[in-house]
Structures are given as C-alpha cells and as structure tokens.
C-alpha cells in the first residue's frame, strides 16, 4: 500500500473538502472512497481532471 492510500484512509473527509475547493466540478460521486478500491477512485479523478494516475496521486499528497 502506498503512502497516498494511507493518507486517503486516514484523512479522506479533509482531502475531499480541499479537492472540492480546488476543483469545483468534482462531485461526491467522483470522490466516493471505498477501502480497497483506490484504483477506481484514481481512475474517476484521472478522467474528470485530465491528469495521469501519478499526477492525481501527487495532487492528493499535496493536499
């Protein structure tokens, strides 16, 4: 498990709020998190934001 996944698990509500502030087009459905399904979350964010998986991980780590 990556450090990004650990951060998501521990602080997802805070991260989700910051993500919505930065990217107003993100919805609760886009940001839905289920343990063990991090790749699906990254995929939705990649598609919505037009970023690579690594860019999405780096962005989440920066929040």
């Amino acid at each position: 498990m990556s450090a990004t996944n650990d951060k998501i698990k521990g602080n997802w509500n805070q991260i989700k709020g910051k993500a919505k502030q930065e990217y107003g087009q993100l919805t609760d459905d886009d940001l839905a998190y289920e343990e063990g399904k991090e790749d699906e979350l990254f995929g939705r964010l990649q598609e919505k934001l037009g970023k690579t998986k690594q860019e999405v991980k780096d962005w989440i780590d920066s929040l």
Side-chain angles (χ1 to χ4, degrees), residues 3 13 18 21 25 28 36 44 46 52-53 56 59 63:
N13 286 332
K18 290 178 182 178
Q21 287 176 359
Q25 77 268 32
D28 284 336
R44 284 192 306 272
Q46 281 177 256
T52 66
K53 186 174 184 177
V56 169
W59 172 66
L63 296 176

Side-chain angles (χ1 to χ4, degrees), residues 20-59:
K20 283 183 172 181
Q21 287 176 359
E22 191 166 334
Y23 292 99
Q25 77 268 32
L26 294 176
T27 66
D28 284 336
D29 287 342
D30 295 329
L31 295 166
Y33 167 71
E34 284 185 59
E35 190 169 338
K37 296 190 175 185
E38 291 85 1
D39 284 339
E40 289 178 23
L41 170 66
F42 293 138
R44 284 192 306 272
L45 292 175
Q46 281 177 256
E47 189 175 313
K48 192 82 172 207
L49 301 176
K51 296 181 179 287
T52 66
K53 186 174 184 177
Q54 189 58 52
E55 287 172 329
V56 169
K57 285 184 174 189
D58 291 346
W59 172 66

Side-chain angles (χ1 to χ4, degrees), residues 1-18:
M1 181 172 298
S2 74
T4 302
N5 290 4
D6 288 341
K7 182 173 184 169
I8 288 172
K9 278 185 174 183
N11 303 304
W12 188 241
N13 286 332
Q14 291 175 328
I15 292 169
K16 192 164 68 169
K18 290 178 182 178

